[in-house]
Amino acid sequence: MTEEQMIAAAPEGCGECLPPNPVEGFLRSERMPHIWCPGCGIGTTVNCFARALLQAKLDLNKVAVVSGIGCTGRVAGYVNLDSFHTTHGRAIPFATGMKLANPELTVVVYSGDGDLISIGGNHFIHAARRNVDVKIICINNFTYGMTGGQLAPTTPVTAISSTTPYGCYEQPFNLPNLAESAGAVYVARWTTYHVRQLTHSIGEALRKKGFSFIEIVSQCPTLYERRNKIGDGLDMMEYFKESSVVKHGAPTREVGIGFQGPIVVGKFVDIERPTFLDLMDKQMTRTLDAHYTGSVVEQNVRG
Amino acid sequence: MKRTHADPSGVLTGKHFLDGDQACCEGALAAGCRFAAGYPITPSTEIVERFAQRVPQIGGMFLQMEDELAASIAIQGAVWAGAKSFTVTSGPGFSLMMEHIGYAAMTETPCVFVNVQRGGPSTGLPTLPAQADMMQARWGSHGDYEIIALCPNSPQECFDLTVHAFNLSEQFRVPVLVMMDECVGHMTEKVVIPPAEQIEVYPRRYTTLPPAEYQAFKAEADLVPQFARAGEGYHFHVTGLTHDEHGYPAMNVEPQRRLVTRLMDKIRCSADALARNEEYRLEDADVVVIAYGITARVAMRAVQMAREQGVRAGLLRPLVVWPFPQKRLRELAAGKNFAGFVVAELNCGQVFYEVERLVAGHVPVLLEGHTGGTVHKPEQILDTILRCANVAAEVSR
Amino acid sequence: MLEEPASEAQVPHVQTVVKKVRGTIHVTQNRCKGCGFCIAFCPPKVLHFSDEFNSHGYRFPQLKNQNGCTGCDLCGLYCPDFAIYGVMQKQGKKQ
């Protein structure tokens, strides 16, 4: 969508009666203001997610959001959808069970880098390998925010965290590369600065069949930025703006992020591969023929 | 809540020659379970191997997960999507599942965990029996919560109690633990599976309220809330955080007191109604052996041998071990000539401590423990019965 | 694919749209935490911080004047606190 088309699609009002905030119905307004710090990027991503959902014209009754633990884990609690705040690291296997038991649902996993990639790393690679049709939105703020800014599997080398007070010396994960290597069919990365592109990308992932992964590089002004003397939320956004390079289709092995270094953003992977359920149906039909009753746990879903 | 009957598609009606693991699988299918997730571990794997073979032909799936953490949460995702589901494991896997037993208790997710107990600690004795996870079943996850645990002692009971476990999980919205052991799991006997119309199934407590009036964690009179599944427009929130009746996080003293008290009380207040005991020669018993699962079969022989020697022994076998049948225990302890309890179990004292706690020093309680790897010899339990009778005789002199 | 969000260099492009549409913003003052994203990234640069404070002690965004806003809603997209959104008012509509 071009800027003009975006403007044409913007909500329309008159001087007397403003239309409601387009994302209001999507939020649990009674729970606002949310717990995220001033300048945190998570709210911006939720905004993009909401608009992507609205633009995708999905039946919101059939969308479930599953989160793990951490700052981003709180997203589930603020979206006015069926929402599940699960245990630390286990959002993906929960979502896997949910999607496979009722494939009618669009299941979105919305969580942080520590939750999905560290404690939940094993589940991440296996769900990607299986190509379970879930959408993963991973907020990467380079740290564990909720617990006070400790070393994460994404903390860039030399960055200060509360448990690497002399600077990080561990090699961080390159998340798009990890996702692609494990088998994801859709891999993109944006920052919280790239709101329009992010909204568009989430929309693509919602329409994509299979394990889709979007990394959103975000800012944690309270812990990561303060310790690393980067400034406030806006300073990090300015860094994202200045240092991001859009490179669609970039080889994911080349998109690692160094401390305050350039960030390659864009859509890196968009391929077709049969999903877990497609393959299961095919194999079961091949071996069981007419005895196979279908993959859906329908009896239960019908009650 | 109106009970219904089993869906015939999953019921293998007839007389069979099955081991406990296979019978457990048939129990799950008969109860309407169509989704299982698991990770291989001896001696429980046969349950899901059979499930994986059977369920594609009756409309469901088995999902082999990457570990027990994943398996024990995948089943809960399936439950909230509308499926009935369970996972099975043994010692080390059970340890890994603890966090999700707590999550199921906190979020009131109806699901079943089967633990075919083997020797521990750690990797221990993978292929040999023990009953040393009983306290882990009761207290293994952090925080205060209540679960229900059942202990079958035959393949037939593996079938019956697995059906019962699913029904209780739906009725109370609580994780129910089927605490088998390697002997029961691998023992092959006759199993009679009744026709579907004779198998009672407790349906999920789906709400009848419209979304605008529904509060996901507002309890009914029996302290259990109504259920809504994802995809029906209820837009509810589920969290492992302390939450209010809407399901929203409410992290303070009062919501914590209200929620935790209700989660405990919904089981504790029903403990007497939940009790299911098998009693053998208790009518005139002076010494009562308490044993469950495979050990109860050995204990029954020991009771017979004690009787042959003139000691009036009896056997109390709880099928529901948690909550413990405290009312019946106290009734027995109050008997006129009552001499004492012998607790026989394949561990170094677990249910024993519960019995000691309940009788609070009023009557002798002797442990006939065992570190596992095999079952007791009847003579071992007999010795303790005789010792118990002597202790009581000395006390009364 | 999408373009980068409108930067200063792209303002003339946006201005051609301004001729056709007028917009305005709506601010839920007490949700604002004063991050300033909306002000920094507003394509026509028509926002600034208020002089007064909201109930949490933050200055919130206001329109500098009523004419420059295109109603593009980029502020709404950036806002991490769901406190602001832009709406377009097409010409010819009741003002």
Side-chain angles (χ1 to χ4, degrees):
Chain A
M1 208 184 264
T2 65
E3 195 75 19
E4 275 165 317
Q5 286 170 322
M6 279 283 180
I7 289 171
E12 191 183 331
C14 64
E16 288 156 23
C17 53
L18 285 169
N21 188 336
V23 299
E24 205 64 40
F26 173 88
L27 299 171
R28 293 189 169 120
S29 303
E30 70 274 23
R31 299 205 63 221
M32 296 294 148
H34 53 60
I35 64 158
W36 297 311
C37 301
C40 170
I42 298 171
T44 302
T45 73
V46 174
N47 230 325
C48 298
F49 175 51
R51 284 150 207 264
L53 268 183
L54 295 169
Q55 286 164 17
K57 297 203 176 6
L58 288 174
D59 176 358
L60 295 184
N61 289 345
K62 298 289 179 196
V63 180
V65 174
V66 183
S67 288
I69 298 296
C71 293
T72 313
R74 293 304 189 89
V75 167
Y78 294 121
V79 294
N80 189 21
L81 300 167
D82 293 332
S83 59
F84 302 88
H85 184 219
T86 64
T87 52
H88 196 16
R90 320 301 168 198
I92 290 177
F94 185 99
T96 299
M98 176 161 273
K99 175 69 186 181
L100 298 183
N102 183 0
E104 274 187 13
L105 299 172
T106 298
V107 183
V108 179
V109 172
Y110 211 122
S111 213
D113 52 310
D115 184 79
L116 290 171
I117 307 299
S118 183
I119 186 169
N122 196 30
H123 311 310
F124 178 80
I125 57 173
H126 283 279
R129 169 181 67 80
R130 292 186 186 105
N131 199 21
V132 182
D133 185 14
V134 293
K135 325 295 169 196
I136 313 292
I137 298 176
C138 175
I139 309 296
N140 175 10
N141 57 10
F142 306 118
T143 195
Y144 286 92
M146 188 70 94
T147 48
Q150 292 80 17
L151 176 79
T154 47
T155 307
V157 173
T158 73
I160 308 282
S161 76
S162 72
T163 49
T164 53
Y166 307 111
C168 166
Y169 44 87
E170 287 185 18
Q171 179 69 33
F173 267 130
N174 166 348
L175 302 189
N177 189 230
L178 181 67
E180 184 187 20
S181 309
V185 293
Y186 183 94
V187 179
R189 174 200 276 159
W190 298 102
T191 77
T192 46
Y193 170 72
H194 300 88
V195 285
R196 294 233 193 270
Q197 296 91 329
L198 174 59
T199 304
H200 180 80
S201 204
I202 295 173
E204 282 191 337
L206 288 169
R207 286 187 297 275
K208 184 86 189 172
K209 215 170 153 220
F211 188 90
S212 307
F213 176 74
I214 300 174
E215 176 188 7
I216 308 173
V217 178
S218 180
Q219 68 274 22
C220 174
T222 308
L223 295 157
Y224 181 79
E225 290 183 58
R226 182 170 52 85
R227 282 217 175 79
N228 287 290
K229 301 189 166 43
I230 294 167
D232 62 11
L234 194 51
D235 291 314
M236 195 73 163
M237 293 281 268
E238 295 288 356
Y239 153 63
F240 293 158
K241 182 180 170 183
E242 301 304 325
S243 302
S244 295
V245 188
V246 182
K247 243 190 210 175
H248 297 299
T252 57
R253 65 181 176 281
E254 295 170 9
V255 303
I257 303 174
F259 182 63
Q260 294 301 95
I263 303 172
V264 180
V265 295
K267 180 168 77 173
F268 306 131
V269 177
D270 191 352
I271 57 167
E272 299 301 323
R273 191 158 78 85
T275 67
F276 178 91
L277 283 178
D278 294 338
L279 292 169
M280 176 171 138
D281 282 340
K282 191 175 162 199
Q283 181 65 20
M284 290 288 180
T285 307
R286 184 189 294 161
T287 46
L288 284 173
D289 203 5
H291 296 290
Y292 179 49
T293 46
S295 62
V296 185
V297 189
E298 265 181 44
Q299 283 90 335
N300 300 294
V301 173
R302 274 196 240 106
Chain B
M1 182 67 62
K2 200 164 138 260
R3 280 172 181 259
T4 56
H5 299 300
D7 168 7
S9 71
V11 182
L12 206 63
T13 302
K15 289 179 190 165
H16 307 274
F17 194 51
L18 299 177
D19 72 15
D21 282 353
Q22 294 166 332
C24 170
C25 170
E26 291 303 327
L29 292 171
C33 174
R34 295 292 181 272
F35 188 98
Y39 184 81
I41 188 164
T42 306
S44 71
T45 315
E46 293 90 331
I47 302 175
V48 289
E49 284 174 345
R50 188 179 177 98
F51 195 90
Q53 192 184 27
R54 290 262 286 129
V55 83
Q57 304 182 53
I58 54 178
M61 72 167 71
F62 170 68
L63 182 61
Q64 184 166 319
M65 293 304 280
E66 49 274 15
D67 58 29
E68 284 91 348
L69 286 152
S72 56
I73 197 74
I75 62 166
Q76 299 188 45
V79 166
W80 286 101
K84 275 191 176 182
S85 69
F86 82 143
T87 187
V88 310
T89 191
S90 185
F94 197 52
S95 291
L96 288 177
M97 289 182 180
M98 283 300 134
E99 185 178 11
H100 292 144
I101 289 176
Y103 186 75
M106 188 61 148
T107 55
E108 302 181 70
T109 305
C111 54
V112 173
F113 292 76
V114 178
N115 177 2
V116 187
Q117 295 173 86
R118 65 191 225 187
S122 191
T123 314
L125 300 170
T127 61
L128 298 171
Q131 296 177 310
D133 304 348
M134 296 308 296
M135 279 298 175
Q136 187 184 22
R138 175 69 189 79
W139 301 110
S141 198
H142 54 279
D144 286 316
Y145 66 101
E146 288 279 348
I147 48 84
I148 298 171
L150 313 177
C151 280
N153 82 337
S154 65
Q156 179 68 51
E157 262 188 19
C158 289
F159 176 84
D160 296 339
L161 291 190
T162 302
V163 175
H164 192 47
F166 276 96
N167 287 344
L168 292 176
S169 78
E170 297 294 343
Q171 182 180 352
F172 291 95
R173 286 190 57 182
V174 70
V176 177
L177 280 44
V178 180
M179 300 296 288
M180 294 164 54
D181 58 70
E182 185 276 333
C183 277
V184 164
H186 287 160
M187 168 195 293
T188 302
E189 286 184 345
K190 184 169 89 170
V191 174
V192 180
I193 298 180
E197 63 272 18
Q198 288 172 25
I199 299 174
E200 276 197 352
V201 168
Y202 198 100
R204 185 152 295 170
R205 304 171 66 133
Y206 284 119
T207 185
T208 49
L209 293 170
E213 292 167 33
Y214 176 67
Q215 290 183 31
F217 292 90
K218 186 171 165 36
E220 301 194 82
D222 63 353
L223 305 179
V224 182
Q226 295 182 346
F227 193 94
R229 66 188 149 206
E232 309 251 291
Y234 284 89
H235 296 191
F236 56 93
H237 185 54
V238 174
T239 177
L241 287 167
T242 298
H243 45 271
D244 61 17
E245 292 180 334
H246 291 279
Y248 296 161
M251 288 165 290
N252 226 321
V253 178
E254 184 50 24
Q256 168 77 359
R257 187 196 62 74
R258 259 208 318 273
L259 177 61
V260 175
T261 308
R262 181 172 67 74
L263 295 179
M264 309 272 284
D265 282 353
K266 72 178 179 181
I267 306 299
R268 289 188 174 178
C269 296
S270 299
D272 293 341
L274 279 165
R276 258 202 201 190
N277 301 312
E278 185 188 61
E279 303 192 351
Y280 176 67
R281 304 199 71 172
L282 283 186
E283 56 292 344
D284 63 342
D286 300 332
V287 176
V288 173
V289 181
I290 296 172
Y292 50 88
I294 190 65
T295 310
R297 292 172 77 131
V298 187
M300 187 176 279
R301 176 69 194 129
V303 165
Q304 290 162 356
M305 290 161 75
R307 290 262 170 185
E308 284 160 17
Q309 298 190 22
V311 173
R312 289 200 296 265
L315 173 68
L316 176 72
R317 177 170 77 91
L319 280 68
V320 177
V321 173
W322 307 123
F324 201 73
Q326 50 184 8
K327 188 175 164 212
R328 184 66 184 126
L329 195 85
R330 289 187 167 129
E331 281 169 11
L332 290 168
K336 213 172 94 195
N337 296 318
F338 187 76
F341 289 110
V342 170
V343 181
E345 49 186 343
L346 286 180
N347 58 54
C348 298
Q350 295 196 6
V351 167
F352 165 68
Y353 289 112
E354 180 74 359
V355 177
E356 256 196 343
R357 182 182 74 79
L358 288 168
V359 302
H362 290 295
V363 296
V365 182
L366 274 61
L367 170 66
E368 177 45 48
H370 194 303
T371 50
T374 183
V375 294
H376 291 81
K377 288 189 166 39
E379 292 77 9
Q380 291 173 303
I381 301 176
L382 173 66
D383 281 353
T384 311
I385 294 173
L386 298 178
R387 198 151 51 86
C388 183
N390 290 338
V391 169
E394 272 169 32
V395 169
S396 65
R397 268 200 295 272
Chain C
M1 269 321 282
L2 289 173
E3 302 296 316
E4 284 283 285
S7 62
E8 303 234 23
Q10 291 170 294
V11 167
H13 163 74
V14 174
Q15 277 174 343
T16 62
V17 179
V18 172
K19 286 176 188 163
K20 286 182 278 184
V21 294
R22 269 186 57 201
T24 189
I25 55 159
H26 182 266
V27 180
T28 310
Q29 294 176 5
N30 288 337
R31 278 192 190 172
C32 177
K33 294 178 185 168
C35 66
F37 296 171
C38 54
I39 297 170
F41 301 121
C42 171
K45 301 282 178 221
V46 293
L47 295 173
H48 68 161
F49 276 121
S50 64
D51 291 333
E52 67 224 91
F53 298 97
N54 70 11
S55 61
H56 297 283
Y58 295 109
R59 296 184 193 276
F60 49 87
Q62 282 179 334
L63 279 176
K64 284 184 213 166
N65 61 66
Q66 293 298 324
N67 297 324
C69 176
T70 64
C72 72
D73 194 33
L74 199 62
C75 52
L77 260 173
Y78 272 115
C79 180
D81 299 290
F82 315 108
I84 187 173
Y85 64 96
V87 287
M88 190 180 57
Q89 295 170 308
K90 282 187 182 146
Q91 281 195 344
K93 292 261 170 171
K94 186 181 165 193
Q95 291 294 308

